[in-house]
Amino acid sequence: MSAEAFRKYLTLEKQYASHTVRAYLTDLEEFSEFACAGAGDMKLEELPYPIIRNWIIHLMESGLGNRSVNRKIASLKAYYKFQLREGRIEASPLAGHKPLKTPRRVEVPFSESEMRGLLEDWDPEGGYEAMRDKMVVELLYTTGMRRAELIGLKLSDLDLAEGVLRVTGKRDKERILPLLPGVGRELEAYIRLRETEFPEAEEPYLFLSPRGNKMYENLVYRIINKYLSKVSAKSKKSPHILRHTFATHLLNQGADMNSVKELLGHTSLASTQVYTHNSIAELKRIHGTSHPRNKKK
């Protein structure tokens, strides 16, 4: 198994995020250990599908859910696709594999009133961290950017005079996002506070940890969970739910799906359509209360 060559393929050619590359390599290593125990010295490139099927059964018997099993198999698919491209195999053992069925996961966005209550009731005297946390929530909710895009934001990505910012998304694709005027003014105040808090900071990133370093993934999750817990009892509180909320609220207010697609940085409408089930519910409500055929005579 050429793990290093596979890593370079995922990183340089596929341009996957570092955490995705780590997950793929971990899955591949786990499968390799399982296969070695049952297939001896046989190379991964030579393994037949029944060995993979046995691994799937092993994962399910260990308590792993179908969605998690499918994710691990996706890692193997990527590996065999790489080997096929390199000419080391003639066919992938997973060519005929069908993913395990998974229930549709419905993510419930936060309501407009919940978001309004959260963002309008913020302690203005909370200092740098409170202001930073508010801007984290504001940007995730008002731009729909991804967590990784937020963490990677640099001061140079902001053009407050024009009211826009530049984000670098998946595959290093850049897009320009508009800023609401109020958010732009708050960002100006935040940057002044950041310069006061960290006058000698060399980090170019917009959001910093308490020690003046680049913000990290778990910190963003803790911020979102902490503040959304104040206004909602929903169990799912994550940066992605704010992205989901952003898209749903725009669609509910009549935004064109193609425009939402561009704002989210999706490559196809199919990716954007997963956010429409709540807007459809809202349209049904409006339709039911507004159509003359539903009026009491």
Side-chain angles (χ1 to χ4, degrees):
M1 178 184 72
S2 179
E4 180 59 21
F6 185 49
R7 184 192 67 78
K8 289 181 178 179
Y9 164 74
L10 296 174
T11 304
L12 302 178
E13 295 192 37
K14 302 300 288 184
Q15 296 185 339
Y16 286 165
S18 58
H19 65 276
T20 302
V21 174
R22 288 195 301 271
Y24 274 41
L25 292 176
T26 298
D27 294 337
L28 191 61
E29 184 178 356
E30 289 177 0
F31 173 66
S32 179
E33 291 176 357
F34 175 86
C36 285
D41 296 330
M42 189 177 291
K43 296 180 180 179
L44 287 187
E45 292 80 1
E46 302 170 345
L47 292 175
Y49 178 71
I51 298 292
I52 299 175
R53 186 178 59 215
N54 289 342
W55 190 50
I56 293 173
I57 295 171
H58 166 74
L59 292 173
M60 295 178 68
E61 289 179 344
S62 67
L64 214 59
N66 287 9
R67 198 180 302 277
S68 297
V69 172
N70 285 341
R71 189 194 62 75
K72 288 182 177 293
I73 297 303
S75 302
L76 289 192
K77 278 190 173 182
Y79 176 73
Y80 284 116
K81 182 178 180 180
F82 167 66
Q83 296 296 341
L84 190 64
R85 196 200 69 163
E86 293 294 300
R88 296 192 180 101
I89 59 176
E90 295 182 358
S92 169
L94 283 161
H97 174 78
K98 293 183 179 180
L100 301 176
K101 291 184 178 181
T102 57
R104 183 179 177 182
R105 183 166 53 189
V106 177
E107 295 182 331
V108 181
F110 292 94
S111 67
E112 293 183 25
S113 61
E114 285 173 329
M115 295 308 302
R116 192 181 308 114
L118 173 62
L119 294 170
E120 291 180 358
D121 185 25
W122 210 283
D123 182 10
E125 306 298 328
Y128 168 75
E129 287 191 32
M131 185 62 172
R132 178 204 62 197
D133 294 354
K134 184 175 192 293
M135 296 318 305
V136 165
V137 176
E138 282 273 24
L139 284 181
L140 289 172
Y141 173 54
T142 62
T143 70
M145 70 174 66
R146 302 177 177 93
R147 170 188 46 77
E149 294 169 346
L150 177 101
I151 292 174
L153 275 178
K154 297 179 180 178
L155 292 168
S156 58
D157 291 327
L158 300 178
D159 187 343
L160 297 180
E162 292 295 326
V164 296
L165 58 79
R166 180 178 65 249
V167 298
T168 303
K170 293 182 176 180
R171 315 287 197 278
D172 286 332
K173 291 182 179 178
E174 292 186 351
R175 67 186 188 280
I176 303 298
L177 297 177
L179 288 170
L180 297 177
V183 175
R185 290 190 294 270
E186 288 184 319
L187 275 172
E188 288 180 344
Y190 163 76
I191 291 172
R192 290 195 295 269
L193 191 58
R194 178 191 182 280
E195 291 172 347
T196 301
E197 186 77 10
F198 303 103
E200 300 179 1
E202 297 182 359
E203 288 283 5
Y205 297 99
L206 178 63
F207 295 117
L208 302 177
S209 71
R211 295 186 177 182
N213 300 319
K214 180 183 178 182
M215 182 177 275
Y216 48 92
E217 296 175 8
N218 286 342
L219 179 55
V220 179
Y221 276 108
R222 288 205 301 268
I223 290 170
I224 299 306
N225 196 278
K226 173 184 176 182
Y227 288 99
L228 289 179
S229 293
K230 295 182 178 182
V231 296
S232 176
K234 293 184 177 74
S235 59
K236 187 74 172 179
K237 304 178 187 72
S238 69
H240 183 73
I241 291 296
L242 284 183
R243 179 172 162 87
H244 183 67
T245 300
F246 162 83
T248 301
H249 289 181
L250 286 186
L251 291 168
N252 282 349
Q253 295 298 325
D256 174 71
M257 190 176 295
N258 274 303
S259 299
V260 176
K261 166 184 168 290
E262 294 301 318
L263 290 169
L264 292 171
H266 286 159
T267 56
S268 69
L269 273 178
S271 298
T272 311
Q273 286 170 341
V274 301
Y275 298 106
T276 62
H277 71 276
N278 290 286
S279 59
I280 289 173
E282 177 68 6
L283 288 174
K284 287 175 66 177
R285 184 190 66 79
I286 294 172
H287 177 264
T289 57
S290 304
H291 198 282
R293 289 289 292 167
N294 199 41
K295 301 291 184 182
K296 291 183 179 180
K297 297 181 179 180

